[in-house]
Amino acid sequence: MRAIQIGTIGLLVVGIGLTMPTAAADQYSARRANSVRVVWRQKMGTHRYHVTQDARYSRHLRVRYATHRRTQRTVWLTDAHQKIYDRYRHTAAIYYHVKSQDGQHSGWIWRGYLRSVR
């Protein structure tokens, strides 16, 4: 009886893993999510930026959103920023929450990848 229960649980776990879209599964990283800690998060004024590298993430860096070359010409607007502490490297970085001007894309991006729109 116990072997049947373990087999059923294994099938259930495999079944759940198969339902996750493959693109999202490729971009999800439990290690990345557990290796960082949010020190603080605050609202900020709106600033306009272009990106030099499009590496946008979800709030706790769990999911990396797809990168698109066409977003490098997009104007990004900030509305919040947060300080992330990397537990493995013992370093901290500032990430900005950005939204595209047309409202189709958003995410958190390291401020070093942004350059001001003049």
Side-chain angles (χ1 to χ4, degrees):
M1 180 76 174
R2 184 173 174 99
I4 294 173
Q5 290 176 345
I6 292 172
T8 305
I9 292 171
L11 287 175
L12 179 63
V13 171
V14 170
I16 291 172
L18 293 176
T19 60
M20 182 182 286
T22 56
D26 291 342
Q27 301 299 325
Y28 177 78
S29 173
R31 182 174 184 208
R32 180 173 54 230
N34 293 327
S35 69
V36 298
R37 177 176 56 91
V38 176
V39 178
W40 53 260
R41 180 179 297 128
Q42 299 174 349
K43 292 183 180 182
M44 67 182 286
T46 302
H47 302 278
R48 297 164 47 96
Y49 290 101
H50 285 296
V51 296
T52 58
Q53 292 183 8
D54 187 17
R56 291 174 293 119
Y57 291 91
S58 63
R59 179 179 292 190
H60 294 284
L61 308 183
R62 287 183 177 100
V63 179
R64 185 179 71 207
Y65 298 132
T67 58
H68 304 287
R69 287 186 175 264
R70 67 176 177 257
T71 59
Q72 290 181 348
R73 295 182 184 182
T74 303
V75 175
W76 296 92
L77 307 173
T78 61
D79 61 357
H81 60 302
Q82 65 183 4
K83 184 174 187 176
I84 299 286
Y85 178 74
D86 188 331
R87 293 176 176 156
Y88 295 135
R89 296 181 182 155
H90 303 288
T91 58
I94 304 292
Y95 281 75
Y96 289 165
H97 185 259
V98 294
K99 293 181 182 178
S100 60
Q101 197 166 14
D102 61 6
Q104 291 184 359
H105 305 286
S106 67
W108 293 89
I109 189 166
W110 177 55
R111 70 177 176 181
Y113 289 154
L114 298 171
R115 64 180 169 84
S116 182
V117 173
R118 297 183 195 269

Coordinates of all heavy atoms in Angstrom, one line a residue, residues 42-94:
Q42 N 11.1 50.8 -2.3 CA 10.5 52.1 -2.2 C 9.9 52.6 -3.5 O 10.5 52.2 -4.6 CB 11.4 53.2 -1.6 CG 12.0 52.9 -0.3 CD 13.0 53.9 0.1 OE1 13.5 54.7 -0.7 NE2 13.4 53.9 1.4
K43 N 8.9 53.4 -3.4 CA 8.4 54.1 -4.7 C 9.4 55.2 -5.0 O 10.2 55.6 -4.2 CB 7.1 54.7 -4.4 CG 6.0 53.7 -4.2 CD 4.6 54.4 -4.1 CE 3.6 53.3 -3.9 NZ 2.2 53.9 -3.8
M44 N 9.4 55.5 -6.3 CA 10.3 56.6 -6.7 C 9.7 57.4 -7.8 O 8.6 56.9 -8.4 CB 11.7 56.0 -7.2 CG 11.6 55.2 -8.5 SD 13.2 54.5 -9.0 CE 14.0 55.9 -9.6
G45 N 10.2 58.5 -8.2 CA 9.7 59.3 -9.2 C 9.9 58.7 -10.6 O 10.6 57.7 -10.8
T46 N 9.2 59.2 -11.6 CA 9.2 58.6 -12.9 C 10.5 59.2 -13.7 O 10.6 60.4 -13.7 CB 8.0 59.0 -13.7 OG1 6.8 58.4 -13.0 CG2 8.0 58.4 -15.1
H47 N 11.3 58.3 -14.2 CA 12.4 58.7 -15.0 C 12.4 57.9 -16.3 O 11.9 56.8 -16.3 CB 13.7 58.4 -14.2 CG 13.8 59.1 -12.9 ND1 14.2 60.5 -12.8 CD2 13.6 58.7 -11.7 CE1 14.2 60.8 -11.5 NE2 13.8 59.8 -10.8
R48 N 13.0 58.5 -17.3 CA 12.9 57.8 -18.6 C 14.3 57.2 -19.0 O 15.3 57.9 -18.9 CB 12.5 58.8 -19.7 CG 11.1 59.3 -19.5 CD 10.8 60.6 -20.3 NE 11.2 60.5 -21.6 CZ 10.4 60.2 -22.7 NH1 9.2 59.9 -22.4 NH2 10.9 60.2 -23.9
Y49 N 14.3 55.9 -19.4 CA 15.5 55.2 -19.7 C 15.4 54.4 -20.9 O 14.3 54.0 -21.3 CB 15.9 54.3 -18.5 CG 16.4 55.0 -17.3 CD1 15.5 55.1 -16.2 CD2 17.6 55.5 -17.1 CE1 15.9 55.7 -15.0 CE2 18.0 56.1 -16.0 CZ 17.2 56.2 -14.9 OH 17.6 56.8 -13.8
H50 N 16.6 54.1 -21.5 CA 16.7 53.1 -22.5 C 17.5 52.0 -21.9 O 18.3 52.2 -21.0 CB 17.5 53.6 -23.8 CG 16.7 54.4 -24.7 ND1 15.5 54.0 -25.4 CD2 16.8 55.7 -25.0 CE1 15.1 55.0 -26.1 NE2 15.8 56.1 -25.9
V51 N 17.4 50.7 -22.3 CA 18.2 49.6 -21.8 C 19.4 49.3 -22.7 O 19.3 49.5 -23.9 CB 17.4 48.4 -21.6 CG1 16.2 48.6 -20.6 CG2 16.8 47.8 -22.9
T52 N 20.5 49.0 -22.0 CA 21.7 48.5 -22.8 C 21.7 47.0 -23.0 O 22.1 46.5 -23.9 CB 23.0 49.0 -22.1 OG1 23.0 48.4 -20.8 CG2 23.1 50.5 -22.0
Q53 N 21.1 46.3 -22.0 CA 20.9 44.9 -22.0 C 19.5 44.6 -21.4 O 19.3 45.1 -20.3 CB 21.9 44.1 -21.3 CG 23.3 44.2 -21.9 CD 24.3 43.4 -21.1 OE1 23.9 42.6 -20.2 NE2 25.6 43.5 -21.5
D54 N 18.7 43.9 -22.0 CA 17.4 43.6 -21.5 C 17.4 42.3 -20.7 O 17.3 41.2 -21.2 CB 16.4 43.5 -22.7 CG 14.9 43.4 -22.2 OD1 14.7 43.8 -21.0 OD2 14.1 43.0 -23.0
A55 N 17.5 42.5 -19.4 CA 17.5 41.4 -18.5 C 16.5 41.7 -17.4 O 16.9 42.0 -16.3 CB 18.9 41.1 -17.9
R56 N 15.2 41.7 -17.7 CA 14.2 42.0 -16.7 C 13.8 40.8 -15.9 O 13.7 39.7 -16.4 CB 13.0 42.6 -17.4 CG 13.2 43.9 -18.0 CD 12.1 44.4 -18.9 NE 11.9 43.6 -20.1 CZ 10.8 42.9 -20.3 NH1 9.8 42.9 -19.5 NH2 10.7 42.2 -21.4
Y57 N 13.5 41.0 -14.6 CA 13.1 39.9 -13.7 C 11.8 40.2 -13.0 O 11.4 41.4 -12.9 CB 14.3 39.7 -12.7 CG 15.5 39.2 -13.2 CD1 16.5 40.0 -13.7 CD2 15.7 37.8 -13.3 CE1 17.7 39.6 -14.2 CE2 16.9 37.3 -13.9 CZ 17.9 38.2 -14.3 OH 19.1 37.7 -14.8
S58 N 11.3 39.2 -12.4 CA 10.1 39.4 -11.5 C 10.6 40.0 -10.1 O 11.8 40.2 -9.9 CB 9.5 38.0 -11.2 OG 10.3 37.1 -10.5
R59 N 9.7 40.2 -9.2 CA 10.0 41.0 -8.0 C 11.2 40.4 -7.2 O 12.1 41.1 -6.8 CB 8.8 41.0 -7.1 CG 9.0 41.7 -5.8 CD 7.8 41.8 -5.0 NE 6.8 42.6 -5.6 CZ 5.7 43.0 -5.1 NH1 5.4 42.6 -3.9 NH2 4.9 43.8 -5.7
H60 N 11.3 39.1 -7.0 CA 12.3 38.5 -6.2 C 13.3 37.8 -7.1 O 14.0 36.9 -6.6 CB 11.8 37.6 -5.1 CG 10.9 38.2 -4.1 ND1 11.5 39.0 -3.1 CD2 9.6 38.4 -3.9 CE1 10.5 39.5 -2.3 NE2 9.4 39.1 -2.8
L61 N 13.4 38.2 -8.3 CA 14.3 37.6 -9.3 C 14.1 36.1 -9.6 O 15.0 35.4 -10.0 CB 15.8 37.9 -8.9 CG 16.2 39.3 -8.5 CD1 17.6 39.4 -8.2 CD2 15.8 40.3 -9.6
R62 N 12.9 35.7 -9.3 CA 12.6 34.2 -9.5 C 12.5 33.9 -11.0 O 12.9 32.9 -11.4 CB 11.3 33.9 -8.8 CG 11.4 33.8 -7.3 CD 10.1 33.3 -6.7 NE 10.2 33.2 -5.3 CZ 9.8 34.1 -4.4 NH1 9.3 35.2 -4.8 NH2 10.0 33.9 -3.1
V63 N 11.9 34.8 -11.8 CA 11.6 34.5 -13.2 C 12.3 35.6 -14.0 O 12.2 36.8 -13.8 CB 10.1 34.6 -13.5 CG1 9.9 34.3 -15.0 CG2 9.4 33.5 -12.7
R64 N 13.1 35.2 -15.0 CA 13.7 36.1 -15.9 C 12.8 36.2 -17.2 O 12.5 35.2 -17.8 CB 15.1 35.6 -16.4 CG 15.8 36.7 -17.3 CD 17.1 36.2 -17.7 NE 17.0 35.2 -18.7 CZ 17.9 34.2 -18.9 NH1 18.9 34.1 -18.2 NH2 17.6 33.3 -19.8
Y65 N 12.3 37.4 -17.5 CA 11.4 37.6 -18.6 C 12.2 37.5 -19.9 O 13.4 37.8 -19.9 CB 10.7 38.9 -18.5 CG 9.9 39.0 -17.3 CD1 9.9 40.1 -16.4 CD2 9.0 38.0 -16.9 CE1 9.2 40.3 -15.3 CE2 8.2 38.1 -15.7 CZ 8.3 39.2 -15.0 OH 7.6 39.3 -13.8
A66 N 11.5 37.1 -20.9 CA 12.2 36.9 -22.2 C 12.8 38.2 -22.7 O 12.3 39.3 -22.5 CB 11.1 36.5 -23.3
T67 N 14.0 38.1 -23.3 CA 14.7 39.3 -23.8 C 14.3 39.5 -25.2 O 14.2 38.5 -26.0 CB 16.2 39.1 -23.6 OG1 16.6 38.0 -24.3 CG2 16.6 39.0 -22.2
H68 N 14.1 40.7 -25.6 CA 13.8 41.1 -27.0 C 14.7 42.2 -27.5 O 14.9 43.1 -26.8 CB 12.3 41.6 -27.1 CG 11.3 40.6 -26.5 ND1 11.0 39.5 -27.2 CD2 10.6 40.7 -25.4 CE1 10.1 38.8 -26.4 NE2 9.8 39.5 -25.4
R69 N 15.3 42.0 -28.6 CA 16.1 43.1 -29.2 C 15.3 44.4 -29.4 O 15.8 45.4 -29.3 CB 16.8 42.6 -30.5 CG 17.8 41.6 -30.3 CD 18.5 41.3 -31.6 NE 19.7 40.5 -31.4 CZ 20.9 40.9 -31.2 NH1 21.2 42.2 -31.3 NH2 21.9 40.0 -31.0
R70 N 14.1 44.2 -29.8 CA 13.3 45.4 -30.1 C 13.0 46.3 -28.8 O 12.7 47.4 -29.0 CB 12.0 45.0 -30.7 CG 11.0 44.3 -29.8 CD 9.7 44.0 -30.5 NE 8.8 43.2 -29.7 CZ 8.6 41.9 -29.8 NH1 9.2 41.3 -30.8 NH2 7.8 41.3 -29.0
T71 N 13.2 45.7 -27.6 CA 12.9 46.5 -26.4 C 14.1 47.5 -26.1 O 14.0 48.4 -25.3 CB 12.7 45.7 -25.2 OG1 13.8 44.8 -25.0 CG2 11.4 44.8 -25.4
Q72 N 15.2 47.4 -26.8 CA 16.3 48.3 -26.6 C 16.0 49.7 -27.1 O 16.6 50.6 -26.6 CB 17.6 47.7 -27.3 CG 18.1 46.5 -26.6 CD 19.4 46.0 -27.2 OE1 19.8 46.4 -28.3 NE2 20.1 45.1 -26.5
R73 N 15.1 49.8 -28.0 CA 14.7 51.1 -28.5 C 13.5 51.7 -27.7 O 13.1 52.8 -27.9 CB 14.4 51.1 -30.0 CG 15.6 50.7 -30.8 CD 15.3 50.7 -32.2 NE 16.5 50.3 -33.0 CZ 16.6 50.2 -34.2 NH1 15.6 50.6 -35.0 NH2 17.7 49.8 -34.8
T74 N 12.9 50.9 -26.9 CA 11.8 51.2 -26.1 C 12.2 52.2 -25.0 O 13.2 52.1 -24.4 CB 11.1 50.0 -25.4 OG1 10.8 49.1 -26.4 CG2 9.9 50.3 -24.6
V75 N 11.3 53.2 -24.7 CA 11.5 54.1 -23.6 C 10.9 53.4 -22.4 O 9.7 53.0 -22.4 CB 10.9 55.4 -23.8 CG1 11.0 56.3 -22.6 CG2 11.5 56.1 -25.0
W76 N 11.6 53.3 -21.3 CA 11.2 52.6 -20.1 C 11.0 53.7 -19.0 O 11.8 54.6 -18.8 CB 12.2 51.6 -19.6 CG 12.4 50.5 -20.5 CD1 13.3 50.4 -21.6 CD2 11.6 49.3 -20.6 NE1 13.1 49.2 -22.2 CE2 12.1 48.5 -21.6 CE3 10.6 48.8 -19.8 CZ2 11.6 47.3 -22.0 CZ3 10.0 47.6 -20.1 CH2 10.5 46.8 -21.2
L77 N 9.9 53.6 -18.2 CA 9.6 54.5 -17.2 C 9.7 53.8 -15.8 O 9.2 52.7 -15.6 CB 8.2 55.0 -17.3 CG 7.8 55.6 -18.7 CD1 6.3 56.0 -18.8 CD2 8.7 56.9 -19.0
T78 N 10.4 54.5 -14.9 CA 10.6 53.9 -13.5 C 9.4 54.3 -12.6 O 8.8 55.3 -12.8 CB 11.9 54.4 -12.9 OG1 11.8 55.8 -12.7 CG2 13.1 53.9 -13.7
D79 N 9.1 53.5 -11.6 CA 8.1 53.8 -10.6 C 8.5 53.3 -9.2 O 7.9 53.7 -8.2 CB 6.7 53.3 -11.0 CG 6.6 51.8 -11.1 OD1 7.7 51.1 -11.0 OD2 5.5 51.3 -11.4
A80 N 9.5 52.5 -9.1 CA 10.0 52.0 -7.8 C 11.4 51.5 -7.9 O 11.9 51.2 -9.0 CB 9.1 50.8 -7.3
H81 N 12.1 51.3 -6.8 CA 13.4 50.7 -6.8 C 13.6 49.9 -5.5 O 12.8 50.1 -4.5 CB 14.5 51.8 -6.9 CG 14.5 52.8 -5.9 ND1 13.5 53.7 -5.6 CD2 15.5 53.2 -5.0 CE1 13.8 54.5 -4.6 NE2 15.1 54.2 -4.3
Q82 N 14.5 48.9 -5.6 CA 14.7 48.1 -4.4 C 16.2 47.7 -4.3 O 16.9 47.7 -5.3 CB 13.9 46.8 -4.5 CG 14.3 45.9 -5.7 CD 13.4 44.7 -5.7 OE1 12.4 44.5 -5.0 NE2 13.6 43.8 -6.7
K83 N 16.7 47.4 -3.1 CA 18.0 47.0 -2.9 C 18.0 45.5 -2.7 O 17.3 45.0 -1.8 CB 18.6 47.7 -1.7 CG 20.1 47.4 -1.5 CD 20.7 48.3 -0.4 CE 22.2 48.1 -0.3 NZ 22.7 49.0 0.7
I84 N 18.8 44.8 -3.4 CA 18.9 43.3 -3.3 C 20.2 42.9 -2.8 O 21.3 43.4 -3.3 CB 18.7 42.7 -4.7 CG1 17.3 43.0 -5.3 CG2 18.9 41.2 -4.7 CD1 16.2 42.3 -4.7
Y85 N 20.3 42.0 -1.8 CA 21.5 41.5 -1.2 C 21.7 40.1 -1.7 O 20.9 39.3 -1.6 CB 21.5 41.6 0.3 CG 22.7 41.0 1.0 CD1 23.9 41.7 1.0 CD2 22.7 39.8 1.6 CE1 25.0 41.2 1.5 CE2 23.8 39.3 2.1 CZ 25.0 40.0 2.1 OH 26.1 39.5 2.7
D86 N 22.9 39.9 -2.3 CA 23.3 38.5 -2.8 C 24.0 37.8 -1.7 O 25.1 38.2 -1.3 CB 24.2 38.7 -4.0 CG 24.4 37.3 -4.7 OD1 24.4 36.3 -4.1 OD2 24.7 37.4 -6.0
R87 N 23.3 36.7 -1.2 CA 23.9 36.0 -0.1 C 25.1 35.2 -0.4 O 25.9 35.0 0.5 CB 22.8 35.0 0.4 CG 21.6 35.7 1.0 CD 20.5 34.8 1.4 NE 19.5 35.5 2.1 CZ 18.2 35.1 2.2 NH1 17.9 33.9 1.6 NH2 17.3 35.8 2.8
Y88 N 25.4 34.8 -1.6 CA 26.6 34.1 -2.0 C 27.8 35.0 -2.2 O 28.9 34.7 -1.8 CB 26.3 33.2 -3.2 CG 25.3 32.2 -3.0 CD1 24.3 31.9 -4.0 CD2 25.3 31.4 -1.9 CE1 23.4 30.9 -3.8 CE2 24.3 30.4 -1.7 CZ 23.4 30.1 -2.7 OH 22.5 29.2 -2.5
R89 N 27.5 36.1 -2.9 CA 28.6 37.0 -3.2 C 28.9 38.1 -2.2 O 29.9 38.8 -2.2 CB 28.4 37.7 -4.6 CG 28.4 36.7 -5.7 CD 28.1 37.5 -7.0 NE 28.0 36.6 -8.1 CZ 27.4 36.8 -9.2 NH1 26.8 38.0 -9.4 NH2 27.3 35.9 -10.2
H90 N 27.9 38.2 -1.3 CA 28.0 39.3 -0.2 C 28.1 40.6 -0.8 O 28.9 41.5 -0.4 CB 29.1 39.0 0.7 CG 29.1 37.6 1.4 ND1 28.1 37.3 2.3 CD2 29.8 36.5 1.1 CE1 28.3 36.0 2.7 NE2 29.3 35.5 2.0
T91 N 27.3 40.9 -1.8 CA 27.2 42.2 -2.5 C 25.7 42.7 -2.5 O 24.8 41.8 -2.4 CB 27.8 42.2 -3.9 OG1 27.0 41.2 -4.7 CG2 29.2 41.8 -3.9
A92 N 25.6 43.9 -2.8 CA 24.2 44.5 -2.9 C 24.1 45.2 -4.2 O 25.1 45.7 -4.8 CB 23.9 45.4 -1.8
A93 N 22.9 45.3 -4.8 CA 22.7 46.0 -6.0 C 21.3 46.6 -6.0 O 20.4 46.2 -5.3 CB 22.7 45.0 -7.2
I94 N 21.2 47.7 -6.7 CA 19.9 48.4 -6.8 C 19.2 48.0 -8.1 O 19.8 48.0 -9.2 CB 20.1 50.0 -6.8 CG1 20.9 50.4 -5.6 CG2 18.8 50.7 -7.0 CD1 20.1 50.2 -4.3

